[in-house]
Short mmCIF file of all heavy atoms in Angstrom, two decimals:
data_model
loop_
_atom_site.label_atom_id
_atom_site.label_comp_id
_atom_site.label_asym_id
_atom_site.label_seq_id
_atom_site.Cartn_x
_atom_site.Cartn_y
_atom_site.Cartn_z
N ILE A 312 22.57 19.17 11.32
CA ILE A 312 22.43 18.96 9.88
C ILE A 312 22.73 17.53 9.50
O ILE A 312 21.97 16.90 8.75
CB ILE A 312 23.35 19.94 9.12
CG1 ILE A 312 22.90 21.39 9.38
CG2 ILE A 312 23.34 19.63 7.61
CD1 ILE A 312 23.87 22.43 8.89
N ASP A 313 23.81 16.97 10.01
CA ASP A 313 24.24 15.64 9.57
C ASP A 313 24.03 14.56 10.61
O ASP A 313 24.49 13.43 10.44
CB ASP A 313 25.72 15.68 9.16
CG ASP A 313 26.63 16.14 10.30
OD1 ASP A 313 26.11 16.59 11.34
OD2 ASP A 313 27.86 16.05 10.15
N LYS A 314 23.34 14.88 11.70
CA LYS A 314 23.10 13.90 12.76
C LYS A 314 21.62 13.93 13.14
O LYS A 314 20.96 14.96 13.03
CB LYS A 314 23.94 14.23 14.00
CG LYS A 314 25.44 14.22 13.77
CD LYS A 314 26.18 14.59 15.05
CE LYS A 314 27.68 14.55 14.85
NZ LYS A 314 28.12 15.60 13.89
N PRO A 315 21.08 12.80 13.62
CA PRO A 315 19.68 12.77 14.06
C PRO A 315 19.55 13.34 15.46
O PRO A 315 19.30 12.63 16.44
CB PRO A 315 19.34 11.28 14.01
CG PRO A 315 20.63 10.59 14.30
CD PRO A 315 21.70 11.46 13.66
N PHE A 316 19.72 14.66 15.57
CA PHE A 316 19.85 15.28 16.89
C PHE A 316 19.26 16.69 16.88
O PHE A 316 19.50 17.46 15.95
CB PHE A 316 21.34 15.34 17.27
CG PHE A 316 21.64 16.08 18.54
CD1 PHE A 316 21.27 15.57 19.77
CD2 PHE A 316 22.28 17.31 18.51
CE1 PHE A 316 21.54 16.25 20.94
CE2 PHE A 316 22.56 18.00 19.67
CZ PHE A 316 22.19 17.47 20.89
N ILE A 317 18.48 17.01 17.90
CA ILE A 317 17.99 18.38 18.10
C ILE A 317 18.44 18.83 19.48
O ILE A 317 18.21 18.15 20.48
CB ILE A 317 16.45 18.46 18.01
CG1 ILE A 317 15.98 18.01 16.62
CG2 ILE A 317 15.97 19.89 18.28
CD1 ILE A 317 14.49 18.06 16.43
N ASP A 318 19.09 19.99 19.53
CA ASP A 318 19.58 20.54 20.79
C ASP A 318 18.54 21.52 21.33
O ASP A 318 18.22 22.52 20.71
CB ASP A 318 20.92 21.25 20.56
CG ASP A 318 21.67 21.51 21.85
OD1 ASP A 318 21.01 21.73 22.88
OD2 ASP A 318 22.91 21.49 21.83
N TRP A 319 18.01 21.20 22.52
CA TRP A 319 17.00 22.03 23.17
C TRP A 319 17.59 22.84 24.32
O TRP A 319 16.85 23.37 25.15
CB TRP A 319 15.86 21.15 23.71
CG TRP A 319 15.15 20.34 22.67
CD1 TRP A 319 15.35 19.03 22.35
CD2 TRP A 319 14.10 20.79 21.80
NE1 TRP A 319 14.50 18.63 21.35
CE2 TRP A 319 13.71 19.70 20.99
CE3 TRP A 319 13.43 22.01 21.64
CZ2 TRP A 319 12.71 19.77 20.03
CZ3 TRP A 319 12.43 22.10 20.68
CH2 TRP A 319 12.08 20.99 19.90
N SER A 320 18.92 22.94 24.39
CA SER A 320 19.56 23.48 25.59
C SER A 320 19.62 25.00 25.65
O SER A 320 20.02 25.56 26.67
CB SER A 320 20.98 22.92 25.74
OG SER A 320 21.82 23.37 24.69
N GLY A 321 19.24 25.70 24.58
CA GLY A 321 19.37 27.16 24.62
C GLY A 321 18.33 27.86 23.76
O GLY A 321 17.51 27.22 23.08
N ASN A 322 18.38 29.17 23.79
CA ASN A 322 17.46 30.01 23.04
C ASN A 322 18.07 30.41 21.70
O ASN A 322 19.29 30.32 21.51
CB ASN A 322 17.14 31.27 23.87
CG ASN A 322 16.24 32.25 23.15
OD1 ASN A 322 15.39 31.85 22.37
ND2 ASN A 322 16.40 33.52 23.43
N CYS A 323 17.24 30.87 20.77
CA CYS A 323 17.71 31.57 19.57
C CYS A 323 17.26 33.01 19.69
O CYS A 323 16.06 33.30 19.57
CB CYS A 323 17.17 30.95 18.29
SG CYS A 323 17.68 31.87 16.81
N GLY A 324 18.19 33.91 19.91
CA GLY A 324 17.85 35.32 20.08
C GLY A 324 17.37 35.95 18.80
O GLY A 324 16.50 36.83 18.82
N ASN A 325 17.91 35.54 17.65
CA ASN A 325 17.47 36.11 16.39
C ASN A 325 16.01 35.78 16.11
O ASN A 325 15.21 36.66 15.78
CB ASN A 325 18.36 35.62 15.25
CG ASN A 325 19.59 36.49 15.05
OD1 ASN A 325 19.48 37.67 14.78
ND2 ASN A 325 20.76 35.90 15.23
N LEU A 326 15.64 34.52 16.24
CA LEU A 326 14.26 34.13 15.96
C LEU A 326 13.28 34.70 16.99
O LEU A 326 12.07 34.77 16.72
CB LEU A 326 14.13 32.60 15.90
CG LEU A 326 14.75 31.93 14.68
CD1 LEU A 326 14.39 30.45 14.66
CD2 LEU A 326 14.32 32.60 13.38
N THR A 327 13.80 35.15 18.13
CA THR A 327 12.94 35.82 19.10
C THR A 327 12.21 37.00 18.46
O THR A 327 11.07 37.30 18.80
CB THR A 327 13.77 36.32 20.30
OG1 THR A 327 14.41 35.20 20.93
CG2 THR A 327 12.90 37.03 21.32
N ALA A 328 12.86 37.65 17.50
CA ALA A 328 12.26 38.80 16.84
C ALA A 328 11.01 38.42 16.08
O ALA A 328 10.12 39.25 15.85
CB ALA A 328 13.27 39.44 15.89
N ALA A 329 10.91 37.15 15.66
CA ALA A 329 9.75 36.68 14.91
C ALA A 329 8.66 36.11 15.81
O ALA A 329 7.51 35.96 15.36
CB ALA A 329 10.18 35.63 13.89
N VAL A 330 8.98 35.80 17.05
CA VAL A 330 8.03 35.15 17.94
C VAL A 330 6.81 36.05 18.20
O VAL A 330 5.66 35.60 18.14
CB VAL A 330 8.71 34.76 19.27
CG1 VAL A 330 7.67 34.34 20.31
CG2 VAL A 330 9.70 33.63 19.03
N GLY A 331 7.07 37.33 18.51
CA GLY A 331 5.97 38.23 18.82
C GLY A 331 5.03 38.40 17.64
O GLY A 331 3.80 38.36 17.79
N ALA A 332 5.60 38.58 16.45
CA ALA A 332 4.77 38.75 15.25
C ALA A 332 3.94 37.51 14.97
O ALA A 332 2.75 37.59 14.66
CB ALA A 332 5.66 39.08 14.05
N PHE A 333 4.55 36.34 15.08
CA PHE A 333 3.82 35.10 14.86
C PHE A 333 2.70 34.94 15.88
O PHE A 333 1.57 34.56 15.54
CB PHE A 333 4.77 33.91 14.95
CG PHE A 333 4.11 32.57 14.74
CD1 PHE A 333 4.13 31.96 13.50
CD2 PHE A 333 3.47 31.91 15.79
CE1 PHE A 333 3.52 30.72 13.30
CE2 PHE A 333 2.85 30.68 15.60
CZ PHE A 333 2.88 30.09 14.35
N ALA A 334 3.02 35.23 17.14
CA ALA A 334 2.02 35.07 18.20
C ALA A 334 0.80 35.96 17.97
O ALA A 334 -0.34 35.53 18.15
CB ALA A 334 2.66 35.39 19.55
N ILE A 335 1.04 37.19 17.53
CA ILE A 335 -0.08 38.11 17.26
C ILE A 335 -0.90 37.61 16.08
O ILE A 335 -2.14 37.54 16.13
CB ILE A 335 0.45 39.53 16.99
CG1 ILE A 335 1.06 40.12 18.27
CG2 ILE A 335 -0.67 40.43 16.47
CD1 ILE A 335 1.82 41.42 18.03
N SER A 336 -0.22 37.23 15.00
CA SER A 336 -0.91 36.84 13.77
C SER A 336 -1.63 35.51 13.89
O SER A 336 -2.53 35.21 13.09
CB SER A 336 0.09 36.78 12.61
OG SER A 336 0.71 38.03 12.39
N ASN A 337 -1.24 34.69 14.87
CA ASN A 337 -1.80 33.35 14.99
C ASN A 337 -2.66 33.16 16.24
O ASN A 337 -2.86 32.04 16.71
CB ASN A 337 -0.68 32.31 14.96
CG ASN A 337 -0.11 32.12 13.58
OD1 ASN A 337 -0.59 31.28 12.82
ND2 ASN A 337 0.91 32.90 13.24
#
Side-chain angles (χ1 to χ4, degrees):
I312 296 169
D313 59 350
K314 299 179 179 65
F316 174 70
I317 299 180
D318 196 328
W319 300 99
S320 66
N322 178 32
C323 177
N325 273 300
L326 289 187
T327 300
V330 169
F333 180 96
I335 293 170
S336 300
N337 285 271

